[in-house]
Amino acid sequence: HINIVDTPGHADFGGEVERVLSMVDGVLLLVDAVEGPMPQTRFVTRKALALGLPSVLVVNKVDRQDARAKEVLDLVYSLYIDLGANEHQIDFPVIYTIAREGRAAHTVAGAFESDTLKPLFDAILEHVPAHEGSPDAPLQLQICSLDYSTYVGRIGIGRVNQGTLKPMQEVAVYSGPESTPFKARVNQVLKFEGLERKQATEAGPGDIVLINGIEGIGIGMTLTDFDNPLPLP
């Protein structure tokens, strides 16, 4: 199961960028084949490289008349060198796309002949590692984003770092490592499938989930095992 999480590109949303990057195991650096790396590209890429996340470069809109894919690729390499990327980080795969037509390939010419985004997903599977974490370990889930429903109230969104979470499970909720936890019961557990939200019977390490039923749930809170609590920083 591949979760793709969009991140704001602007420095004004630094906190949100950091929270998104804490939920993922790799990044797709999406660059326009005409405009190349933008000022905000530098900000988000610096954060991703600092966390040691592997990247896949996606050069989009190669069908535009003024596309300059080769020059844009050189600009991205220069950006990575400027940001102090190591040898492993700078050895990223490059996928060329005409995204609105669902075309992806390893070459610019191939993107015009392709009729699928499969090369992009193959690159993700090959270069982005699966999340490591034992489903049998004590639960750790940090809330990174919030949503709201008139039916169930506040909804917390985050990634299961380790352990297993099920609907109606009792958990300890920490607002910080030094805080006093309170006991709560998770009502529903939902996962993303495309743009839809589907109820799940359980979620394990690496799953990005939506949970409801916990009053006062907030960003940065950790849901963990009540008998063996391991709050995240």
Side-chain angles (χ1 to χ4, degrees):
H1 188 91
I2 298 172
N3 282 300
I4 299 176
V5 190
D6 193 18
T7 167
H10 204 277
D12 289 353
F13 298 95
E16 193 173 339
V17 169
E18 288 179 359
R19 290 198 300 272
V20 168
L21 291 176
S22 75
M23 281 200 290
V24 299
D25 298 291
V27 294
L28 297 178
L29 177 57
L30 183 61
V31 180
D32 189 295
V34 177
E35 295 173 345
M38 305 294 281
Q40 59 263 34
T41 311
R42 172 178 288 269
F43 169 74
V44 181
T45 306
R46 178 187 284 117
K47 296 276 187 189
L49 292 175
L51 290 168
L53 295 171
S55 50
V56 175
L57 175 64
V58 183
V59 182
N60 189 32
K61 302 181 183 176
V62 295
D63 58 325
R64 284 179 58 175
Q65 277 191 325
D66 45 355
R68 50 185 189 123
K70 187 176 185 306
E71 196 177 327
V72 164
L73 177 58
D74 289 341
L75 289 170
V76 174
Y77 278 126
S78 297
L79 172 65
Y80 271 58
I81 291 166
D82 284 351
L83 295 177
N86 61 37
E87 286 180 29
H88 179 68
Q89 289 173 320
I90 209 164
D91 187 24
F92 49 76
V94 185
I95 304 294
Y96 299 94
T97 61
I98 307 171
R100 64 181 177 186
E101 296 176 13
R103 303 174 186 271
H106 292 280
T107 63
V108 174
F112 288 89
E113 298 165 10
S114 171
D115 59 358
T116 175
L117 288 173
K118 187 173 182 297
L120 174 60
F121 285 95
D122 287 343
I124 293 169
L125 290 172
E126 184 178 346
H127 295 279
V128 178
H131 181 71
E132 293 181 3
S134 170
D136 301 319
L139 174 68
Q140 280 183 322
L141 170 102
Q142 192 157 47
I143 302 302
C144 296
S145 185
L146 296 174
D147 201 355
Y148 186 81
S149 159
T150 51
Y151 297 105
V152 297
R154 196 179 276 198
I155 297 167
I157 305 170
R159 180 176 68 170
V160 179
N161 186 49
Q162 64 176 38
T164 304
L165 180 67
K166 297 178 181 179
M168 307 312 293
Q169 182 172 324
E170 288 195 332
V171 295
V173 182
Y174 282 80
S175 58
E178 305 301 322
S179 68
T180 303
F182 63 89
K183 199 170 190 176
R185 187 192 296 269
V186 173
N187 183 13
Q188 295 172 311
V189 177
L190 298 96
K191 294 183 187 178
F192 291 99
E193 194 171 306
L195 297 176
E196 302 289 313
R197 299 172 177 189
K198 300 281 180 73
Q199 287 200 39
T201 53
E202 70 171 32
D207 283 333
I208 293 178
V209 295
L210 307 97
I211 57 128
N212 58 54
I214 299 178
E215 198 172 331
I217 192 77
I219 286 172
M221 289 185 173
T222 302
L223 277 60
T224 185
D225 189 72
F226 200 82
D227 297 321
N228 191 2
L230 291 171
L232 289 160

